[in-house]
DNA sequence: CTGTTAGTTAGCCTTATGGCTAAGCATGAC
DNA sequence: GTCATGCTTAGCCATAAGGCTAACTAACAG
């Protein structure tokens, strides 16, 4: 599979955790040091550190240390690959929507589980 | 956290696996039985079955059994929550883009790792 | 220099994930 | 009935994920 597949996996995986999405939302309000990010999660620093490195490896955040304080910030372009994937899928999926719509409903009525 | 947070986690998690994305892409071409989905993955049936149930629990596919054949189909609306989350994030993130843009670049130059 | 503050690293624990084989259970073909 | 087919279930294994504590390092503050 192509390289951007790896990117997508890392991206989706990073976003699959509520704590990490919480951190991102917090960072949307502006850059913040690690401790500030940790506080509202109720988790310990080392745990948050790992969430941060997952986010950073996925390219969703960038960070830099000034003195003993590490400041983190979101990287807005990071969502782009996902945006692209989503747009492509919706394009394909919706081409078949009419055909599928009734069909899927039939499936779900026949056998909900 | 809200209920749709659980949904989002399940959704992102389901999409984080390349095999599962491959299956979805295959299904975009139209409904298919389990065996047909398994074949191009090179994985064993039970393994594929588990991928399918992850996809189904995330609401991304629906399936029904006719005789001994289970047919699977995508559920296009399933991407909607993700689409909504993405749109919202991009909205917030990009509000700060000007301010952040230069800042993040500074961070990354200072300390790439 | 001593003490606090902010991260960091190392290492442990438990659960989840992703793969497998082997065996089971329907259904459809003979 | 018997047998192949298509899915299902059970259970094993290795690795990854997400949490923790404890101990260490690097700045400031006095």
């Amino acid at each position: 599979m192509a390289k951007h597949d790896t990117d997508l996996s890392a991206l989706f995986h990073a976003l699959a955790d509520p704590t990490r999405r919480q951190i991102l939302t917090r960072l949307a309000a502006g850059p913040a040091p690690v401790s500030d990010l940790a506080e509202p999660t109720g988790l310990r620093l080392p745990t948050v550190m790992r969430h941060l490195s997952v986010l950073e490896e996925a390219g969703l955040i960038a960070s830099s240390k000034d003195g003993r304080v590490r400041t983190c910030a979101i990287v807005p372009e990071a969502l782009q690959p996902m945006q692209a994937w989503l747009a492509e899928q919706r394009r394909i999926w919706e081409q078949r929507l009419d055909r599928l719509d009734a069909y899927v409903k039939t499936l779900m009525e026949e056998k909900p589980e």
Side-chain angles (χ1 to χ4, degrees), chain A:
Chain A
M1 291 180 198
K3 179 182 170 287
H4 72 273
D5 250 53
T6 313
D7 295 352
L8 270 184
S9 293
L11 207 52
F12 281 129
H13 173 247
L15 294 173
D17 186 286
T19 301
R20 288 195 286 266
R21 288 199 304 277
Q22 180 188 343
I23 290 174
L24 285 180
T25 303
R26 166 70 186 73
L27 280 178
V34 175
S35 306
D36 284 19
L37 295 174
E39 194 267 328
T41 65
L43 299 174
R44 302 296 185 167
L45 257 189
T47 306
V48 172
M49 287 280 298
R50 274 172 81 173
H51 282 303
L52 290 177
S53 54
V54 170
L55 288 170
E56 194 153 16
E57 273 163 35
L60 284 161
I61 68 172
S63 74
S64 176
K65 212 168 170 178
D66 179 23
R68 51 187 168 164
V69 176
R70 174 173 298 277
T71 303
C72 301
I74 49 176
V75 177
E77 315 86 86
L79 291 182
Q80 225 269 303
M82 184 179 137
Q83 173 93 339
W85 182 87
L86 185 58
E88 172 68 1
Q89 294 303 313
R90 285 184 71 93
R91 192 182 62 74
I92 308 174
W93 292 26
E94 280 166 5
Q95 275 182 346
R96 318 213 155 233
L97 195 55
D98 359 313
R99 226 167 42 90
L100 272 174
D101 197 42
Y103 182 67
V104 169
K105 280 192 178 58
T106 312
L107 285 188
M108 296 176 91
E109 274 161 21
E110 275 177 21
K111 182 140 189 148
E113 193 65 23

